[in-house]
Amino acid sequence: MASTSAPARVLVVSDEMEVGGSQRQIAHLLAGLDRTRWQAELLFFRNRSFLADRLVEAGIRVHELPKHGRVDPRFVLCLAALLRRGRYDIVHCYSLTAELWVRAVLPLAPRCAFIASVRGLCLHHTRQQWRFKRWIVRRADAVIANARAGARATAEHTGLPLAQISLVPNGVEIPAPLAPERRAAERDALGVPPGRRCGLFVGRFVVVKDIPLLLDALARVAPERRPFLLLAGGGPLDAELRDRAGQLGLEADVRFLGERSDAQTLMQCADFLVLCSREEGLSNVVLEAMAAGCAPIASAVGGNPELVEHEHNGLLFPGGDADALAAALERIGGDDALRVRLGTAARADAEQGYAIEEMVRRTEAVYARVSGAPHSAGGS
């Protein structure tokens, strides 16, 4: 273990570093850790993005270890070698794939504390995946969840006592407000029609985000009351979603922006954000919208109700209900006073409860707790 005079060595592990919510939190954490106490590095297996590049620019060591196929013997050997060579005091994993492979090879490395994560409700986990998760969390020195809903789901499926799961909500940057003239110029550059209210989706184009529901709901709003919609992101459903927008006659109402690295600027340009996921942990996108003063409309699933209080700082609708979402889109698009009130409350709530510094502080407290008493390599 590290001496009191040297920073403890920490390795944060993710299977991928695409532009996603967990990956943004990893970047915030690694950039914010006290470097006099923690010498932190990042390891990931695939999908490099600008988030990894920014960490390198900040002087944080980043390891990219490609994994080919479900079982890759060379990957396993390289992972074990990296863990032995790094002599880490703490290994903190952010995904099931990372947890599974790291925990499997830890007996081949020097003793270290192992931290697992809960980043969502995992509603689509198979029985085998839950068996893996049960094996992982029962051999972890700590388990960190970013939402109470996710912590409860994990406790129910694994038998791990809820009290043994540490709650560390996500953190978010609070941006300076955009000057009105810049906001107008940005909206014009984005193609937002003058005088029209604008909604925004930011995220991966994947099944769990249920973007087809958003397009269906938008099409149910009468054209004269229909807000304009910006879709920022990419993923396997990209072509399918573009086709669906065309089939629904939304060509003049929707613009696909591709993947963007300026999400918070987009949120300050939009009038509201929409997240219609089938499941969520604690959504970074909703948090970022709140911090930007952009009123969120969110499905009432997972950790979303922990962030969005209906009628106070946003609007909630039942997950999967296109009619309810259409009603929310029409309402928020046509009520300026409501939109301003919700956005103002959302920003205040983000400032008071979800600062990045608080997320880092809580994580450091878990690190301090486990670093002095690592779990045995053999597990429990």
Side-chain angles (χ1 to χ4, degrees), residues 225-264:
R225 296 191 295 274
R226 185 180 295 159
F228 191 71
L229 178 65
L230 298 172
L231 293 165
L237 300 184
D238 190 298
E240 177 182 324
L241 293 172
R242 292 173 188 266
D243 288 344
R244 190 178 191 114
Q247 293 164 6
L248 291 169
L250 296 174
E251 296 94 334
D253 304 301
V254 175
R255 185 177 179 199
F256 289 83
L257 301 179
E259 291 191 352
R260 303 281 294 229
S261 60
D262 58 347
Q264 284 198 324

Side-chain angles (χ1 to χ4, degrees), residues 201-232:
F201 169 88
V202 178
R204 292 279 291 158
F205 292 176
V206 292
V207 171
V208 72
K209 297 300 182 182
D210 209 2
I211 306 167
L213 180 81
L214 173 55
L215 296 176
D216 290 348
L218 188 67
R220 298 183 189 197
V221 180
E224 65 274 14
R225 296 191 295 274
R226 185 180 295 159
F228 191 71
L229 178 65
L230 298 172
L231 293 165

Side-chain angles (χ1 to χ4, degrees), residues 20 40 64 185 210 241-242 252 260 273 276 284 292 316 320 330 334 369:
E64 185 172 359
D210 209 2
L241 293 172
R242 292 173 188 266
R260 303 281 294 229
L273 176 113
C276 46
N284 284 282
L316 293 170
E330 183 172 351
R369 174 166 57 83

Side-chain angles (χ1 to χ4, degrees), residues 61-361:
R61 190 172 185 184
V62 173
H63 307 271
E64 185 172 359
L65 183 59
K67 179 177 177 293
H68 304 288
R70 295 184 64 182
V71 179
D72 181 351
R74 185 176 183 277
F75 163 82
V76 174
L77 292 174
C78 291
L79 176 59
L82 188 150
L83 293 174
R84 284 196 301 269
R85 187 168 61 249
R87 303 190 67 82
Y88 300 103
D89 300 290
I90 299 169
V91 179
H92 179 183
C93 296
Y94 268 74
S95 64
L96 180 60
T97 301
E99 291 167 346
L100 180 61
W101 289 110
V102 167
R103 193 63 193 82
V105 303
L106 270 186
L108 305 177
R111 295 179 62 204
C112 68
F114 172 71
I115 300 177
S117 296
V118 177
R119 309 296 303 177
L121 275 67
C122 305
L123 296 180
H124 302 291
H125 268 11
T126 64
R127 289 184 179 181
Q128 182 64 36
Q129 286 172 314
W130 275 119
R131 281 195 289 268
F132 285 148
K133 192 69 174 182
R134 185 180 305 115
W135 178 79
I136 287 162
V137 299
R138 291 182 177 182
R139 286 158 177 79
D141 296 280
V143 179
I144 295 177
N146 65 348
R148 290 187 293 274
R152 289 193 295 268
T154 297
E156 290 169 3
H157 281 90
T158 66
L160 186 72
L162 187 61
Q164 292 184 25
I165 302 177
S166 300
L167 183 64
V168 179
N170 294 347
V172 64
E173 293 179 292
I174 309 296
L178 285 184
E181 58 273 14
R182 183 185 169 193
R183 184 175 187 269
E186 294 278 0
R187 283 171 67 97
D188 186 60
L190 289 167
V192 179
R196 194 167 176 190
R197 295 307 169 203
C198 175
L200 172 68
F201 169 88
V202 178
R204 292 279 291 158
F205 292 176
V206 292
V207 171
V208 72
K209 297 300 182 182
D210 209 2
I211 306 167
L213 180 81
L214 173 55
L215 296 176
D216 290 348
L218 188 67
R220 298 183 189 197
V221 180
E224 65 274 14
R225 296 191 295 274
R226 185 180 295 159
F228 191 71
L229 178 65
L230 298 172
L231 293 165
L237 300 184
D238 190 298
E240 177 182 324
L241 293 172
R242 292 173 188 266
D243 288 344
R244 190 178 191 114
Q247 293 164 6
L248 291 169
L250 296 174
E251 296 94 334
D253 304 301
V254 175
R255 185 177 179 199
F256 289 83
L257 301 179
E259 291 191 352
R260 303 281 294 229
S261 60
D262 58 347
Q264 284 198 324
T265 298
L266 295 176
M267 291 169 182
Q268 291 186 87
C269 292
D271 296 299
F272 58 91
L273 176 113
V274 187
L275 184 72
C276 46
S277 302
R278 297 176 181 179
E279 66 165 295
E280 282 288 341
L282 201 73
S283 169
N284 284 282
V285 168
V286 169
L287 266 179
E288 290 175 356
M290 291 170 62
C294 180
I297 299 174
S299 50
V301 301
N304 287 345
E306 297 176 34
L307 292 174
V308 180
E309 183 181 344
H310 187 60
E311 301 278 359
H312 163 64
N313 60 7
L315 298 178
L316 293 170
F317 71 94
D321 189 333
D323 287 333
L325 176 53
L329 291 171
E330 183 172 351
R331 181 184 176 200
I332 204 167
D335 191 333
D336 291 345
L338 172 68
R339 216 168 36 251
V340 170
R341 176 173 65 80
L342 296 178
T344 300
R347 183 178 174 101
D349 289 345
E351 289 176 332
Q352 294 168 13
Y354 298 97
I356 289 175
E357 294 78 12
E358 179 65 10
M359 180 272 290
V360 173
R361 186 194 67 78

